[in-house]
Amino acid sequence: MDYELENRKYVIGGVATAIVVIYIIRLFVLQIMSDDYRKSADSNAFFKKIEYPSRGVITDRNGKLLVYNEPSYDLMVIMNEQRGHIDTLEFCEALGITPQFYEKRMSEIKDYNRNPGYSRFTQQLFMSQLSEQEFAMFQEKLFRFPGFYVQKRSIRQYQYPYAAHVLGDVAEVSQYDIEDDDYYQAGDYIGKLGVERYYEKQLRGEKGVQILLRDARGRIQGKYNNGLYDHKPVAGKDLTLSLDIELQALGERLLEGKIGSIVAIEPSTGEVLCMVSSPTYDPRRMVGRKRGKNHDLLSRDPWRPLLNRSIMGQYPPGSTFKTSQALTFMTEGITTPHTVYPCYHGFQYKGLHVGCHGHASPLPIVGALSTSCNAYFCWGLYHMIGARKKYGTTQNAMNTWRDYMVSMGFGYKLGIDLPGEKRGLIPNADYYDNAYKGSWNGLTIISISIGQGEVNLTPLQIANLGATIANRGYYITPHVVKKVKGEPLDTLFTKRHYTKASRSAYDWVVSGMRSSVVQGTCRAANRSDYLVCGKTGTAQNRGQDHSVFMGFAPMDNPRIAIAVYVENGGFGADYGVPIGALMMEKYINGKLSAASEKRADDFQHRRIAYGSRNR
């Protein structure tokens, strides 16, 4: 037998088999796996026209329209259909653009680094948000530019120049957005900030599609199979916000020329009635093709108008924090409602002095809250941290204190339905062990008892403290959306969160806050037609102190809890109290009296000199 011939036969057979297998695999890849060939085949016969849904509209709690849609047009291009010569000069004149812009844009579309989803067989965005006037002028000449199509869209419009930080805005998707959610493709729009971002999936709706039939020359011949496979777009869901736009407008007016925040909450529901951050901006600046330029200008502004200080600003709460200390000390049995502490123009012990203004001494808890006595709360914290018989160690006492603070909504994000919320800071035993190498006591950290030192809260957390006291011991996670059309509100925004403090402790704190309005540091908020409870704060700062107010009204069956924070505003009674009083009057009575309107006008035109340094 010729073994060499026999082996050669197997070799030749194996090579032939391999070639056949390779051809089969290649055909499979070309016909089944390759997206390019499939798109090429489809594009010869079909044109899939995307129909974009109208985005859900947004109204305030009283039904006033805040955000709506206006017609807009995107100019799309399919590179594979650009047959023959296009008169670029005529094209540019029709659109009011330069030939340089045309060349640059076409280059960007074909650049896989800039546009990773590029395919010459699919629509690519050439120019977005043409107005109706621009579209009308261009449409007459569209037939001269093969490969170009106009896609009808809509853009957001804002009815009022208010609430920019809450509403947010809409802009073109980034590559990250496309990779994160396959709903989007290049040129789509997405919510970027505020409720537009948080409720994007509810607001955006569902895209529709028309499958149109082409002839051999690419001309549209009508619907494929009489529209059997078409899908109509589904409009986005409308949102009803909890904001009162008139209250919001007053708040923004009162904070003109100042840096700070106003947050108001309906205690019984957790609904945010207003959320003011100053400086602010007109949301209508973030619409259309000028959005990018305006956003860049705002981002470069040294006063940081894009920052939502209500949820991102982290500040010392000052004396508003004393209410949380009173609740903790009484519930833990460190003090009783009748415990009195001396105040020798402040807290003085073992060479340590924490100053205080002049007032009667000694005082129980109601008087201490009413006069905002620093010494009372310093003594209370010192005795709690040093209570070895009760807690065993300083660390255990500190962590017990921390647990009370966390239960009141401090130290962690509250979970509001807005992106970007910060958590603030509530220190624990580990924090001080690391800072002081384990050698510390109540005197070391005494300043936290009066809302200074390491304690930081957001204005939202301070307002939520007011709501919790108004409810006598619980809060509902604050939220800015009252209703999503067609679906229930997330249970996160209906559940009650109870604190560790006792009901009786809350009753005493309410009495102290009422006394503060009647005869203490909040007298400017006192009224005859409804009972106000309040607490001032003067938060120490490197420069001028910050002016703070936290309160609620009416005392029984409260409708509004509020926090006002004015950077470098001085004493709490200088800016915080009068601004808070005007806001409560507006919400409860529906309008300001003539005298109050005059005071509002005065505060609107007051300016605080901040200097030129970045904020």
Side-chain angles (χ1 to χ4, degrees):
M1 179 180 290
D2 190 340
Y3 290 101
E4 185 177 344
L5 182 61
E6 188 73 15
N7 289 337
R8 187 178 300 170
K9 180 178 69 174
Y10 289 125
V11 170
I12 293 172
V15 170
T17 301
I19 291 172
V20 172
V21 170
I22 290 171
Y23 269 100
I24 292 173
I25 292 173
R26 181 58 179 160
L27 286 171
F28 177 79
V29 170
L30 291 178
Q31 297 184 34
I32 306 299
M33 301 296 291
S34 175
D35 195 45
D36 279 349
Y37 283 92
R38 180 179 56 80
K39 287 178 179 176
S40 179
D42 283 350
S43 66
N44 289 330
F46 303 115
F47 174 58
K48 294 182 180 179
K49 183 179 180 181
I50 300 297
E51 293 187 308
Y52 289 92
S54 60
R55 199 169 174 87
V57 300
I58 302 175
T59 59
D60 85 338
R61 67 186 296 110
N62 299 312
K64 292 186 177 179
L65 184 64
L66 304 181
V67 187
Y68 59 97
N69 303 302
E70 277 192 352
S72 176
Y73 303 87
D74 288 351
L75 184 58
M76 314 298 291
V77 61
I78 299 178
M79 296 298 188
N80 198 53
E81 296 182 7
Q82 286 198 307
R83 303 181 182 90
H85 175 70
I86 289 180
D87 188 335
T88 55
L89 184 60
E90 183 182 16
F91 180 88
C92 292
E93 287 178 350
L95 283 175
I97 59 176
T98 65
Q100 291 79 12
F101 176 87
Y102 175 87
E103 295 296 337
K104 179 184 176 185
R105 188 71 194 106
M106 295 298 274
S107 176
E108 289 173 347
I109 290 172
K110 297 175 185 177
D111 186 344
Y112 282 95
N113 291 322
R114 288 175 174 266
N115 186 18
Y118 170 70
S119 169
R120 68 182 185 276
F121 303 111
T122 60
Q123 291 189 90
Q124 304 293 317
L125 176 67
F126 178 82
M127 192 172 179
S128 66
Q129 299 183 1
L130 274 67
S131 67
E132 287 194 273
Q133 294 78 11
E134 291 172 321
F135 166 67
M137 293 177 63
F138 182 74
Q139 189 181 29
E140 297 177 359
K141 301 180 179 180
L142 183 60
F143 71 95
R144 300 184 185 180
F145 312 119
F148 283 94
Y149 300 89
V150 172
Q151 175 73 63
K152 186 175 181 180
R153 300 286 291 273
S154 63
I155 58 172
R156 295 302 245 178
Q157 288 294 347
Y158 300 87
Q159 187 73 14
Y160 300 93
Y162 310 121
H165 296 101
V166 175
L167 296 174
D169 66 298
V170 174
E172 191 174 332
V173 292
S174 65
Q175 186 56 36
Y176 171 81
D177 296 323
I178 295 171
E179 293 171 355
D180 185 57
D181 190 337
D182 59 10
Y183 173 89
Y184 302 104
Q185 59 186 31
D188 283 356
Y189 304 143
I190 191 173
K192 290 293 185 180
L193 296 169
V195 295
E196 293 276 22
R197 183 70 179 188
Y198 192 94
Y199 289 93
E200 166 65 15
K201 290 186 177 180
Q202 289 90 340
L203 285 167
R204 73 188 185 189
E206 298 177 15
K207 295 176 185 174
V209 63
Q210 283 189 39
I211 303 177
L212 306 175
L213 193 64
R214 306 175 193 259
D215 63 15
R217 295 184 178 183
R219 294 173 297 192
I220 302 298
Q221 299 300 303
K223 291 186 176 183
Y224 171 64
N225 211 352
N226 293 320
L228 180 63
Y229 300 104
D230 292 354
H231 299 285
K232 291 185 177 181
V234 178
K237 295 178 179 178
D238 299 340
L239 300 185
T240 301
L241 299 192
S242 58
L243 295 190
D244 181 324
I245 195 61
E246 291 188 5
L247 186 67
Q248 179 78 22
L250 175 61
E252 294 191 20
R253 174 185 166 197
L254 294 173
L255 285 190
E256 283 184 21
K258 310 163 190 71
I259 297 175
S261 169
I262 303 172
V263 180
I265 298 173
E266 183 177 68
S268 61
T269 63
E271 294 173 2
V272 175
L273 303 173
C274 78
M275 180 175 283
V276 180
S277 178
S278 181
T280 185
Y281 59 94
D282 187 337
R284 294 174 293 191
R285 293 181 63 184
M286 306 294 272
V287 171
R289 294 202 298 271
K290 292 184 179 180
R291 180 196 178 276
K293 180 181 178 181
N294 288 334
H295 185 275
D296 185 60
L297 289 172
L298 289 170
S299 66
R300 293 172 183 270
D301 190 321
W303 302 106
R304 303 176 71 188
L306 291 175
L307 179 69
N308 185 353
R309 289 171 168 82
S310 298
I311 62 173
M312 297 176 179
Q314 299 174 94
Y315 301 102
S319 294
T320 61
F321 198 60
K322 292 173 181 175
T323 55
S324 67
Q325 304 310 287
L327 292 165
T328 303
F329 302 155
M330 282 190 286
T331 304
E332 281 294 289
I334 303 300
T335 64
T336 72
H338 309 292
T339 299
V340 296
Y341 288 122
C343 181
Y344 304 106
H345 290 284
F347 173 80
Q348 297 187 55
Y349 188 66
K350 293 187 177 181
L352 178 65
H353 177 72
V354 178
C356 190
H357 56 277
H359 58 75
S361 176
L363 290 172
I365 186 59
V366 171
L369 287 170
S370 178
T371 60
S372 198
C373 174
N374 284 342
Y376 185 98
F377 299 96
C378 289
W379 280 115
L381 183 73
Y382 175 73
H383 288 146
M384 180 173 180
I385 299 300
R388 294 291 183 93
K389 289 184 178 180
K390 183 175 181 66
Y391 302 110
T393 66
T394 299
Q395 284 76 9
N396 287 341
M398 183 68 213
N399 285 338
T400 299
W401 177 90
R402 182 276 317 275
D403 291 344
Y404 272 84
M405 299 305 103
V406 170
S407 78
M408 296 177 195
F410 309 143
Y412 294 90
K413 297 177 183 180
L414 281 167
I416 190 170
D417 49 348
L418 289 173
E421 182 188 5
K422 301 299 183 183
R423 61 182 291 176
L425 176 63
I426 293 294
N428 58 16
D430 288 343
Y431 180 95
Y432 288 122
D433 283 343
N434 292 329
Y436 297 104
K437 310 303 181 186
S439 179
W440 57 278
N441 57 36
L443 294 178
T444 314
I445 62 170
I446 203 70
S447 59
I448 66 173
S449 67
I450 56 174
Q452 297 286 164
E454 293 74 31
V455 171
N456 276 324
L457 306 182
T458 64
L460 176 67
Q461 289 172 329
I462 300 173
N464 193 60
L465 171 62
T468 306
I469 298 171
N471 289 333
R472 276 60 166 183
Y474 73 87
Y475 68 89
I476 296 171
T477 300
H479 50 284
V480 297
V481 169
K482 181 182 178 73
K483 181 181 178 182
V484 180
K485 186 176 181 180
E487 67 178 59
L489 197 64
D490 193 318
T491 55
L492 174 67
F493 306 124
T494 59
K495 179 182 176 182
R496 292 185 177 186
H497 301 271
Y498 287 89
T499 76
K500 290 173 65 66
S502 66
R503 171 59 191 254
S504 62
Y506 276 101
D507 289 338
W508 283 103
V509 167
V510 169
S511 296
M513 292 176 67
R514 177 60 188 154
S515 177
S516 181
V517 172
V518 173
Q519 57 187 2
T521 57
C522 296
R523 288 189 298 274
N526 199 18
R527 299 183 61 88
S528 59
D529 48 346
Y530 53 85
L531 304 183
V532 177
C533 296
K535 183 71 194 76
T536 53
T538 304
Q540 293 178 2
N541 181 47
R542 292 173 185 170
Q544 179 79 351
D545 293 341
H546 301 318
S547 179
V548 196
F549 171 74
M550 178 270 292
F552 61 90
M555 183 172 74
D556 299 313
N557 300 314
R559 296 174 55 197
I560 181 173
I562 193 166
V564 179
Y565 208 108
V566 180
E567 292 189 28
N568 305 134
F571 294 115
D574 292 344
Y575 281 93
V577 175
I579 288 176
L582 289 167
M583 295 292 287
M584 287 189 284
E585 178 186 349
K586 170 66 176 176
Y587 186 70
I588 292 175
N589 291 343
K591 62 179 181 178
L592 296 178
S593 67
S596 294
E597 185 60 45
K598 187 176 180 180
R599 283 195 297 274
D601 188 62
D602 173 52
F603 274 96
Q604 178 183 358
H605 293 94
R606 288 192 191 184
R607 298 292 185 268
I608 297 175
Y610 290 101
S612 59
R613 65 189 179 90
N614 289 0
R615 301 301 303 181

